[in-house]
Amino acid sequence: MGTNRFEVGTNRADTADTATAPGAPGAPGAQGAESAAGRLRLALLGPVGAHRGEAPLDLGPVRRQAVLAALILRANTLVTHQQLLDDVWGLEPPGTGRRVLPSYVYPLRKALDGPGARPTTSVIRGERGGYRFMPGEARTDIGELTAQAGAIRGAKAAGNLTAALDSCTRALNLFCGEPLAGLPGPLADAERQRLARQRRTLHQERVECLVLLGRYAEALDELLAAPTTQPYDEPLAALRMRALYGSGRQAEALAAYRETRDRLRAELGVEPGEELQRVHQGVLRRDDPLLLGRTPPPRTTNSATPQAASPAAAAQHTQPSAPERSPSSPRPRRNELPGDTAWLVGRETELALLTEPVPADCVSVAAVDGTAGVGKTALLVRAAWTLQDQYPDGCLFVDLHTFGAPHESLRPQRALHQMLRAVNAADDELPYELHELVSAWRAATSSLRLLLVVDDARSAEQVRPLLPAGPGSRVLVAGRQRLPGLDADRRLTVEPLDTGEAVTLLTRLLGQTRAGQEPEAAQELARRCGGLPLALRIAGARLQNRPSWTLAHLVGRMSDDERRLGELRAEDRSVEAAFRMSYDLLAPELRRGFRALSQAPTAEFDGLTPAVMLGRSLQDTEDLLERLVDASLLQQPRPSRYRLHDLVRDHTRRLAAEMPDEAAADRAAVLHLYTAAGRMASDWGPEGYPTGPDVADAPFRDWREADAWLEAAGGQLLDVVAFAAATGQREYACWIAESLVDPLVRQGRFHECRSALELALPGADLADDPRMPSSLRNCLAIADIYQGRFPQAHAWCTDALGLARHQGDLREQARATASMGAAERALGRFPEAAAHLSEAMGQAARLDDDWLSGMSSCNLGALHDQQGRHEEALTYYATSLTFAEKIGRPRMISKTLCFTAEAHLALGRHTEVKDLARRAADLAKEVGDLQLRATTLSLLGAAEHGRGDLPLAITLQREALATLTEHTSRPLEMEVRRRLGRTYEAAGHPAEAEQQFHIARSLAGTA
């Protein structure tokens, strides 16, 4: 049994460094000698196995192996009978108690002992009260593991990392899968966990040896090939950071820290431990002795093959020494950097990118952009202070004041005058012409290695003249505007802090005691500030100056979006003022587009939303939006999708309030767009809505395009109805909620459908459209029918019918009557259902409403089906299919085909069922209707069951279940599970069948 696992140290490239004595356990040649002598070898670090020489030994079933393992793990110790029973059987001992043990020990002795062995010389000795395992000449991999662990400790204590690495390798190679694999009993469980921990520790020690030996690429490979570890393994995360850092990949090392920290915060609610934080600080400080155990040779920036770079390449990519100067003309070093901020939170990755080594033979330029108040300047100043020792000729800081007052703006000429004087290259008379100044600046800096920080830049034209000429110089540029025209070798957009980082900054500003007293308020305040450091610092300053205020008090003052920006003001610092300066510098067409975004009803939108408000083409509008992205006033979370930062959105609404007529027109345009999309995508089609706006001018070619546009909005459609209701647009709120029923139901989003209708319903009774009170209630009934809430649906129908009769609206009466019939059919009230559905068919014919005629006929067919009158049902279904094909809506056709297939299934016509269900499935897939898709798959499964292909039937029913969502109709899920249960039963899987029947019964109970 098993394989020989004592040939350790032969699977890794570093075994050439071994210094094991000949003949020692695990040494080259030792195995052959042992095999020849027929020594017994026992393995527990994987599937339990035994060999004598090269011959495997039969240890019998797993319980017998568990007895052997319990004795080996306590070798040379008397294991009492009771202890052995507890180790192997736990709380469920055999009925015969200790008397069962000889039946396990005897065959083990027979298998393990050599020829002629007696009980007194056996490896398992029987003693009074128990048994003892006497290894003698036998070797165990557990014993070898202990020996190698001791060798590791000794080698590390002696400072011999190569020997320690070799012992780690040998120890790890002893493992062959899960230790004690498959063995029962509490002892085996406990040992598996202990040995798994030991294996992780050995792996950690091996990686650390590789790091300390400078073999960083191998260390990273080892970490990737690690045995499964917990995702919160901080020691391995620290080793990964050290190996990345040693490979010259500082930014990735910091990203690894951030990933681990975010996981610890999100899933365990704790901060990283002291050791991981210490490594993080070491990476930030480039502390080579701490991280690598020594000061390594200069590293390249090539993260792919850090140790394969040639010496010439390494020299090219490391910072050069200061240029030689004549002793007679020393130049004083100048540092004009502003003071560093006390707290810079959550910018580790960005800081690493800005401070990583750059080529020595050129001028490196990094361009940083971001919205107002996001902390660009603080980041650049911190990066500059981190780098300042590398630039012996000086660190200069130039603030162009682009977004300040007009008189503060610094033209390139003035900036060049300032910098030439800073490097002592200014004559008494400096030229004024820009091209002459640029020539003077380049000449003055050609032999210098400078660090230049340019803040508040607006364009590449402002920055290009300021670039120094000296090789190895570095320029850090910050501005709200992206600078695509600037030749930068690295670009960075600074994003707002996440909520956890924002809370950390607040805590540092206010102190742990004060912030810790109101953790929930601190979280909410961080969210209200949108993660903008400027907003957080202003909020912190207000709280610092008002010790009587609680955090919850300030949150309350900021709870109104209209007041939020007003609260974020402290003396001359104001978030709104920062946004206003960005807005004032926009071109007129960009200002107009920016104001229009205030009326976008969803947090995320595409170009079509502002296009209809601006009356521009989609391409022109997207170009405008991209320019707003470049101005850091608009975010682009993914291609062709845009969003405003929460505080920026507040600012746009304030701007829009200054032009109420323009805002009202924008609002009407965007709500009209959503109404048009919903009506085109609905089963009724635009012609099925007798009241409301004309949507003939909608920018959608057909219902598919409209449906795809709505689906791209994801879970934000509810926000559109809420926006319409909140802005007093009651009719639009009702029209949009009504039109979204079919698109949302198709995707199984019943909760959103109901919520949208409930948001609009309070305004329906006050709306100018008299159809809305009845229509929305009827729509709520439809949503309830889909979810199997039939009594509630019937109540809504009753209200809708009464309101429609009061208004004298025949169309709404007919629709409410048809819905009532559907609800009564589901409730088993067959006579009432037949009467209402027949009445609805007559009304539909008078109104020439093909959709209502088709659905009423389909429901009458279903009513006959439920009563066992399947042939009559097929007649009604044929009539319904005629109307559905006349209308041409694939969803209605698919539904009718499903009902028809159900009738044929009841008649045992499985071939017809298969053909009809296949056609219905294709149509359901086309329209993206999840419920219809599940229904058609289930019918196909039932057809295959009837045709005798039970494995395929099970597959189809399981696929139907997988299509359902948590909000899916309970009756549909119950039917699918019943069919699956019957198929399992027919296939001879009673346990699986009962499980499905049990779930179906529980669903029926909750319904």
Side-chain angles (χ1 to χ4, degrees), residues 335-397:
N335 189 330
E336 295 183 345
L337 296 176
D340 195 1
T341 182
W343 303 114
L344 187 69
V345 174
R347 301 300 187 204
E348 293 86 357
T349 302
E350 295 89 339
L351 189 62
L353 178 66
L354 293 176
T355 58
E356 66 183 12
V358 295
D361 56 354
C362 62
V363 177
S364 172
V365 179
V368 177
D369 63 83
T371 192
V374 81
K376 302 179 293 297
T377 303
L379 174 63
L380 256 65
V381 170
R382 172 63 62 83
W385 277 106
T386 304
L387 294 166
Q388 55 106 13
D389 288 339
Q390 302 175 24
Y391 296 91
D393 297 313
C395 302
L396 306 183
F397 183 89

Side-chain angles (χ1 to χ4, degrees), residues 594-744:
F594 186 62
R595 291 195 302 272
L597 299 183
S598 67
Q599 303 306 310
T602 58
E604 190 178 298
F605 49 87
D606 68 346
L608 186 58
T609 301
V612 298
M613 294 189 274
L614 299 173
R616 301 170 67 112
S617 71
L618 179 59
Q619 182 176 345
D620 285 348
T621 304
E622 288 183 338
D623 290 343
L624 182 149
L625 294 175
E626 290 296 330
R627 291 160 68 190
L628 288 173
V629 170
D630 287 341
S632 296
L633 285 169
L634 187 62
Q635 299 170 336
Q636 191 174 37
R638 48 200 173 100
S640 300
R641 302 295 295 185
Y642 305 90
R643 65 177 297 131
L644 290 165
H645 183 276
D646 290 348
L647 294 177
V648 176
R649 178 184 289 276
D650 291 350
H651 180 55
T652 64
R653 289 174 177 168
R654 287 186 174 227
L655 293 171
E658 298 171 4
M659 300 183 178
D661 293 341
E662 177 187 271
D666 290 345
R667 188 161 50 247
V670 74
L671 293 177
H672 179 88
L673 174 66
Y674 276 94
T675 304
R679 290 187 169 189
M680 288 188 70
S682 73
D683 287 351
W684 292 350
E687 64 280 355
Y689 295 85
T691 61
D694 181 5
V695 298
D697 60 345
F700 307 106
R701 286 173 293 186
D702 54 26
W703 71 267
R704 293 175 180 84
E705 199 170 277
D707 189 58
W709 185 76
L710 290 172
E711 188 172 354
Q716 299 182 100
L717 293 177
L718 187 60
D719 296 338
V720 181
V721 179
F723 174 78
T727 54
Q729 305 296 310
R730 289 190 291 265
E731 272 76 17
Y732 272 115
C734 294
W735 293 332
I736 294 171
E738 176 191 48
S739 70
L740 290 177
V741 170
D742 288 334
L744 290 174

Side-chain angles (χ1 to χ4, degrees), residues 473-544:
S473 292
R474 188 191 302 235
V475 182
L476 306 178
V477 184
R480 302 178 193 181
Q481 189 79 27
R482 292 181 178 175
L483 306 177
L486 183 66
D487 290 332
D489 47 300
R490 63 200 67 197
R491 298 181 186 275
L492 174 64
T493 296
V494 183
E495 301 290 352
L497 302 174
D498 64 33
T499 302
E501 293 166 342
V503 171
T504 299
L505 179 55
L506 273 176
T507 302
R508 292 180 178 176
L509 293 169
L510 300 175
Q512 180 63 49
T513 301
R514 189 172 182 188
Q517 288 174 346
E518 301 177 80
E520 293 181 1
Q523 292 263 351
E524 184 58 30
L525 182 56
R527 283 191 286 268
R528 289 279 168 186
C529 290
L532 282 186
L534 175 61
L536 292 160
R537 290 181 182 278
I538 291 174
R542 299 198 72 190
L543 289 166
Q544 288 168 347

Side-chain angles (χ1 to χ4, degrees), residues 802-857:
L803 290 166
R805 285 172 176 166
H806 179 73
Q807 290 289 341
D809 189 327
L810 296 179
R811 187 178 297 273
E812 288 305 316
Q813 288 183 52
R815 289 178 176 176
T817 301
S819 297
M820 184 174 287
E824 288 167 339
R825 176 180 71 79
L827 289 167
R829 303 174 187 173
F830 297 149
E832 296 92 332
H836 281 124
L837 290 171
S838 298
E839 181 184 354
M841 279 203 69
Q843 292 170 327
R846 290 193 294 275
L847 292 166
D848 197 23
D849 189 329
D850 290 338
W851 180 87
L852 187 58
S853 295
M855 294 313 300
S856 298
S857 179

Side-chain angles (χ1 to χ4, degrees), residues 63 82-94 185-187:
R63 186 81 70 180
Q82 187 58 51
Q83 190 173 25
L84 199 53
L85 291 172
D86 292 342
D87 287 345
V88 178
W89 281 269
L91 297 177
E92 299 179 355
L187 179 64

Side-chain angles (χ1 to χ4, degrees), residues 266-319:
E267 300 180 24
L268 300 182
V270 299
E271 292 290 332
E274 182 178 344
E275 174 61 19
L276 190 57
Q277 293 191 44
R278 192 168 70 91
V279 171
H280 172 235
Q281 290 299 315
V283 174
L284 287 174
R285 296 194 307 269
R286 301 176 184 267
D287 189 340
D288 290 335
L290 168 68
L291 300 170
L292 310 178
R294 59 194 171 88
T295 302
R299 297 184 300 277
T300 72
T301 58
N302 185 344
S303 61
T305 55
Q307 298 190 31
S310 67
Q316 182 180 6
H317 287 280
T318 54
Q319 295 293 344

